[in-house]
Amino acid sequence: MAELDLTQKPIYPNSLYEAAQGVGLTSQRSRDRLVSRLLSNKQLDIEVLNAIRVTPRHLFMDEALANRAYEDTSLPIGYGQTISQPGTVALMTSWVKQGSRSLNRVLDVGTGSGYQAAILSLVAKQVYSVERIAPLSLRAQYCLDQLAVRNIRFTLSDGHWGWSTFAPYDAIVCAAAPDSIPEALVEQLAEGGRLVLPVGEKEQLLTGVEKTATGIKTITLGVAVFVPLVKGRLD
Ligand code: SAH
């Protein structure tokens, strides 16, 4: 298995990137420590772990919580929502990346802080990100703009319906839990494409769905705790 390249230069294009690196608990050393813990999970993709290593997660959350940014845990981002746990972001991204399709177009359902979208932007050509809460979407767009990430398009709508304009997608990553797999998301997958999402009310199963020529194949990747996928949008 390939080793992590710890000498890799930051891959965000922004010239202000150095300033965004953080100090102490938000420093590069803290990100390296997080990634070296995640490395013990052999399901995780090296390129995805490198993306986690160079992404300043502390910028995607409240300053008051920034000192916890490199703990492997989800944290509140306001509006009753959370920034996803890095280990879970790594697992979901790795699983879709290990499918048969290269990641040219990826749909991210539940923009939230924008952290999952940032990781996807480093391993996919183009990312499409859907959120139902306007202020969260705007804050995520501001943060990703600061990092000069240019390959994400955002929209404000109910992710139950996917984003048909740019379908089909090579992969869909959904960070909020529906009761059952939304049909539109499966419809908007290309053949061989992969969808990963938590399914269920209280006890959620992190579910992987692969679209085949004749239907779908599903597998369970683990248990998860996500916020629910809520109907309708909120301005
Ligand atoms: N990917 C985010 C996770 C945020 S939590 C991150 O890395 O920070 C899940 C997000 O899904 C929340 O922001 C929530 O508002 C959003 N969400 C919930 N239901 C939704 C729906 N029906 N359509 C779009 N987004 C939804």
Side-chain angles (χ1 to χ4, degrees):
M1 189 168 98
E3 287 296 314
L4 257 194
D5 176 9
L6 292 175
T7 62
Q8 185 178 319
K9 292 275 182 289
I11 37 187
Y12 285 97
N14 190 353
S15 57
L16 294 177
Y17 185 78
E18 291 299 328
Q21 294 275 295
V23 290
L25 287 172
T26 61
S27 67
Q28 187 57 53
R29 277 187 62 177
S30 298
R31 279 185 290 285
D32 289 348
R33 233 175 281 130
L34 166 66
V35 169
S36 60
R37 281 194 297 271
L38 297 178
L39 265 176
S40 62
N41 181 348
K42 298 300 171 206
Q43 292 162 287
L44 303 182
D45 181 278
I46 289 296
E47 205 190 328
V48 171
L49 287 173
N50 256 323
I52 296 224
R53 196 180 69 79
V54 299
T55 299
R57 185 172 183 254
H58 62 280
L59 299 184
F60 292 83
M61 58 179 64
D62 240 36
E63 237 173 283
L65 287 173
N67 62 346
R68 300 191 57 197
Y70 302 105
E71 292 175 19
D72 189 16
T73 180
S74 57
L75 291 163
I77 52 172
Y79 305 90
Q81 308 304 322
T82 53
I83 182 171
S84 302
Q85 187 177 339
T88 309
V89 169
L91 178 62
M92 292 168 91
T93 313
S94 297
W95 190 75
V96 296
K97 188 168 174 291
Q98 287 155 359
S100 61
R101 299 189 69 91
S102 22
L103 300 182
N104 287 316
R105 300 142 83 79
V106 177
L107 180 66
D108 170 49
V109 178
T111 312
S113 67
Y115 179 68
Q116 169 76 73
I119 300 300
L120 286 170
S121 80
L122 297 176
V123 299
K125 217 178 213 168
Q126 180 68 44
V127 179
Y128 301 89
S129 191
V130 184
E131 172 57 57
R132 65 178 286 276
I133 301 178
L136 284 180
S137 178
L138 291 174
R139 200 163 67 193
Q141 289 178 47
Y142 175 79
C143 187
L144 288 155
D145 192 55
Q146 292 286 297
L147 290 169
V149 174
R150 299 281 177 252
N151 61 339
I152 308 178
R153 286 178 83 143
F154 300 88
T155 192
L156 196 65
S157 75
D158 179 350
H160 279 98
W161 305 108
W163 192 353
S164 59
T165 318
F166 300 103
Y169 299 100
D170 301 303
I172 302 177
V173 175
C174 176
D179 300 340
S180 61
I181 301 169
E183 262 173 46
L185 297 187
V186 175
E187 259 162 43
Q188 291 173 24
L189 267 187
E191 194 180 312
R194 286 185 165 189
L195 156 68
V196 63
L197 77 176
V199 182
E201 272 175 52
K202 285 206 180 99
E203 282 192 342
Q204 301 154 11
L205 294 179
L206 190 58
T207 306
V209 179
E210 187 169 296
K211 190 162 175 176
T212 66
T214 51
I216 57 168
K217 275 193 307 204
T218 65
I219 66 158
T220 299
L221 299 167
V223 288
V225 187
F226 280 85
V227 296
L229 190 71
V230 179
K231 293 237 159 74
R233 68 176 232 194
L234 196 70
D235 292 301

